Amino acid sequence: HVHRYASCVRPPDSGPRVPSSARRGEPSARPARSLARLPGVTRLPLQSFLMSLPRLWPRLRFTLDWYRRLRERRRPGRGLPGRGRRHCCVRQNSSPTGRAEMVACRAARRPLSSLACHSARRSVSTSAAPIYDVAVVGGGAAGLSICALLRKKAPDLRIGLIEPSGTHYYQPAWTLVGGRAFDAAQTRADMASLIPEQVEWIQKEALEFVPEKNELRLREEEGKSSPLRYKRLVVAPGLELDWGAIEGLEPTLGRNGVTSNYDFSSCQYTAELVEQLSATAGGRRPRAIFTQPPMPIKCAGAPQKALYLSAHAWESAGAAVDLTFCSAGPALFGVKEFVPTLQGYMDRYGATECYGHTLVAVDGQARRAKFQTADGQLVEKEFEMLHVVPPMRAPRCVRESPLADATGFVAVEHDTLRHVDFENVFAAGDCVSAPNAKTMAAARKQAPVVVHNLLQDLAPAAARPTEAVYDGYGACPLTVEKGKVVLAEFGWGGQLMPSFPGWLIKNTAPSRLAWAFKRHALPWFY
């Protein structure tokens, strides 16, 4: 294809194009066509180009895979230039102990990445209570996006990222992992490779916020804590999954037919259970229950996605399974424009809908689940497969701090994402008190607003622009079957906010293009 397009380019004054076979004195294999209707560069018809795309896609995918493998090689300690080596501010380890550790690593043929991370943690020790221009709590989608934008717009700032975990997860793909549509290994990445250049990674847990003193406390060894001071604070630790709120759930999760796509170690078990029930033939129909807890939760459509993908697999295999959807809420979805489409799929898969049912206890060995109805009654249901979505809340360091409101979330102005009481404190992601959908798409829209408003505080008063405003945007790609997605995008009050024109992707209808966007494009963009 490259050769064919290149042959269509000629100098403006070179005269009519002559086929290469005629220039060589050979008979032309096909009649010559005039491609030079206009002077300069001409192209093949658009239809031919579009028809060539399916043949070009394998080559493009090979190129992208090659680029991804190349980036995986450029991890800390491999000796190659790249983003992985400059992930954070690691000071040169010139002490005798540090040199000895480096020699030991080389002698044992161990990667130097562990040494680099150890040096990074040691280099940002908070024993002297360093003062950061901006301290960001949380290394999720919101926290990392804010760090990257700050480094791009204000490279001279001293930024500290407080994140105890060494692994970052692409959680939107876990529902696809449960439906055998995504590789679980591709949802996990080394946190050090994602932290922007010159951002100091403090791999410790935030214990307490003291906003009156512009200080927070970090967990140290042996139950001790250390202070960290800041000029501006961004709170983005996400949500905490409260598995213990459901009696008997933690001991049986990942076995006895109990699973959850909200847990990395269990989403692959979801796919195994679906295959087991697909192979069931004759006798009593197996029972599968899918639960949804009270709001707010991460991605309110994820409990339904697990049901739709599982039901579509059973439908394709010809397996008869009794489906039950038990939701603590009063309706199928919070935005009414999407309910007719989703209800059509519930009817298609033959799912029984039980609203006002909250899961309160699980007996994995007996395969029984106990629900509390809206009027306070207790109802038991038997199952062969139980997909559980646990209730969620803000982390303890947030909900027990002066930053929290009555619900336990960070009290912010819904439009500027600035704290209502402390002007130098901002929040983004799932921990904010704003009534938006708690999705990665919302964090993507919130990050530029926080960075803009934070940097304007640091600018001179005469040069300050107007404050940026968050419009409440959130998105939930609802996977209604394997190969089709309803790309639900909405803002404050359920107002539809589609990103694509209706002739390309209709916001309220299932689309194969939306599936390709979620399955292939979004992970690559992320």
Side-chain angles (χ1 to χ4, degrees):
H1 292 284
V2 174
H3 172 72
R4 290 179 64 188
Y5 279 105
S7 66
C8 296
V9 181
R10 63 182 182 85
D13 300 327
S14 61
R17 178 178 174 272
V18 180
S20 58
S21 58
R23 290 197 298 270
R24 295 192 302 266
E26 302 174 2
S28 177
R30 58 182 179 181
R33 294 191 305 172
S34 175
L35 297 177
R37 295 185 179 181
L38 295 175
V41 178
T42 58
R43 302 176 183 176
L44 290 176
L46 178 61
Q47 182 179 2
S48 300
F49 173 73
L50 294 176
M51 292 177 63
S52 68
L53 285 179
R55 289 176 287 177
L56 286 174
W57 171 247
R59 300 183 183 181
L60 178 61
R61 187 171 183 179
F62 172 80
T63 304
L64 294 176
D65 290 342
W66 172 84
Y67 178 70
R68 178 178 56 81
R69 289 194 297 269
L70 180 63
R71 289 195 62 183
E72 288 179 353
R73 292 176 58 192
R74 296 180 176 183
R75 292 294 172 87
R78 297 298 180 93
L80 293 175
R83 186 178 181 183
R85 289 195 65 204
R86 58 179 191 267
H87 63 278
C88 58
C89 180
V90 182
R91 299 175 184 174
Q92 184 67 29
N93 193 351
S94 58
S95 63
T97 304
R99 287 195 298 269
E101 291 176 353
M102 189 175 299
V103 171
C105 283
R106 288 173 177 169
R109 296 185 177 272
R110 288 188 283 113
L112 298 179
S113 57
S114 58
L115 178 60
C117 292
H118 177 68
S119 301
R121 291 194 298 271
R122 182 170 51 209
S123 66
V124 295
S125 174
T126 57
S127 57
I131 300 178
Y132 290 88
D133 295 319
V134 181
V136 180
V137 179
L144 289 176
S145 299
I146 290 170
C147 287
L149 288 173
L150 286 172
R151 287 298 307 157
K152 180 179 180 181
K153 295 179 180 295
D156 296 333
L157 292 180
R158 185 182 184 186
I159 305 171
L161 176 65
I162 298 94
E163 172 55 52
S165 176
T167 306
H168 182 89
Y169 294 97
Y170 179 64
Q171 299 182 31
W174 286 353
T175 54
L176 298 178
V177 173
R180 293 290 191 203
F182 207 91
D183 184 11
Q186 295 183 5
T187 67
R188 182 170 53 185
D190 185 12
M191 180 68 71
S193 66
L194 303 177
I195 299 176
E197 179 183 1
Q198 298 301 318
V199 171
E200 299 185 21
W201 181 22
I202 305 161
Q203 198 173 3
K204 298 177 181 178
E205 180 185 355
L207 287 179
E208 182 184 3
F209 293 98
V210 190
E212 300 87 355
K213 299 180 180 180
N214 292 339
E215 184 180 285
L216 58 90
R217 308 290 299 183
L218 304 178
R219 183 186 298 277
E220 297 288 349
E221 297 179 355
E222 300 178 357
K224 299 180 181 179
S225 65
S226 61
L228 184 144
R229 301 184 64 190
Y230 59 83
K231 297 179 182 179
R232 297 290 185 275
L233 174 66
V234 179
V235 184
L239 288 181
E240 177 183 277
L241 277 63
D242 192 7
W243 301 101
I246 302 175
E247 181 184 351
L249 174 60
E250 292 182 284
T252 194
L253 183 64
R255 53 182 178 269
N256 298 324
V258 181
T259 184
S260 176
N261 285 345
Y262 280 79
D263 179 61
F264 175 77
S265 59
S266 298
C267 57
Q268 300 179 71
Y269 184 54
T270 301
E272 296 176 8
L273 289 175
V274 171
E275 292 180 353
Q276 292 176 12
L277 269 62
S278 299
T280 303
R284 184 169 56 86
R285 297 174 60 175
R287 294 153 296 189
I289 302 176
F290 296 81
T291 71
Q292 177 173 305
M295 296 294 151
I297 63 172
K298 298 180 182 180
C299 188
Q304 297 181 45
K305 297 178 193 180
L307 184 149
Y308 297 140
L309 282 174
S310 301
H312 185 256
W314 293 324
E315 181 185 70
S316 302
V321 178
D322 283 337
L323 283 170
T324 304
F325 180 62
C326 295
S327 173
L332 184 59
F333 198 71
V335 183
K336 62 180 181 180
E337 285 80 3
F338 301 102
V339 171
T341 301
L342 302 179
Q343 188 64 56
Y345 275 93
M346 283 286 185
D347 297 339
R348 167 181 164 178
Y349 297 135
T352 301
E353 302 166 52
C354 300
Y355 297 107
H357 282 58
T358 303
L359 180 65
V360 294
V362 176
D363 187 347
Q365 294 184 348
R367 302 291 180 102
R368 290 179 177 272
K370 185 180 296 184
F371 296 86
Q372 185 175 9
T373 63
D375 55 4
Q377 297 182 1
L378 295 179
V379 178
E380 282 194 355
K381 296 180 181 293
E382 297 181 349
F383 63 86
E384 275 69 43
M385 173 182 174
L386 176 65
H387 181 272
V388 179
V389 179
M392 303 176 197
R393 58 186 180 180
R396 186 175 66 177
C397 64
V398 171
R399 66 176 184 268
E400 296 180 359
S401 73
L403 303 177
D405 62 3
T407 63
F409 292 86
V410 181
V412 296
E413 300 171 353
H414 297 171
D415 50 356
T416 64
L417 301 176
R418 186 193 303 269
H419 196 273
V420 295
D421 296 325
F422 304 97
E423 293 186 353
N424 65 334
V425 177
F426 297 83
D430 297 342
C431 70
V432 300
S433 60
N436 61 281
K438 299 190 180 300
T439 63
M440 187 188 69
R444 180 179 66 87
K445 288 288 189 177
Q446 292 171 353
V449 174
V450 169
V451 171
H452 177 92
N453 294 337
L454 187 151
L455 292 179
Q456 100 164 345
D457 288 354
L458 302 176
R464 290 182 181 177
T466 58
E467 286 189 319
V469 173
Y470 172 55
D471 58 6
Y473 174 84
C476 184
L478 294 159
T479 311
V480 291
E481 60 179 285
K482 193 172 184 178
K484 286 188 178 181
V485 163
V486 176
L487 188 57
E489 298 176 282
F490 44 88
W492 300 128
Q495 179 185 1
L496 299 186
M497 300 179 65
S499 299
F500 299 94
W503 58 266
L504 186 62
I505 298 180
K506 189 177 180 180
N507 195 248
T508 59
S511 168
R512 294 192 181 276
L513 185 57
W515 164 270
F517 182 68
K518 173 179 174 59
R519 170 61 182 83
H520 301 286
L522 284 181
W524 185 75
F525 289 142
Y526 187 84

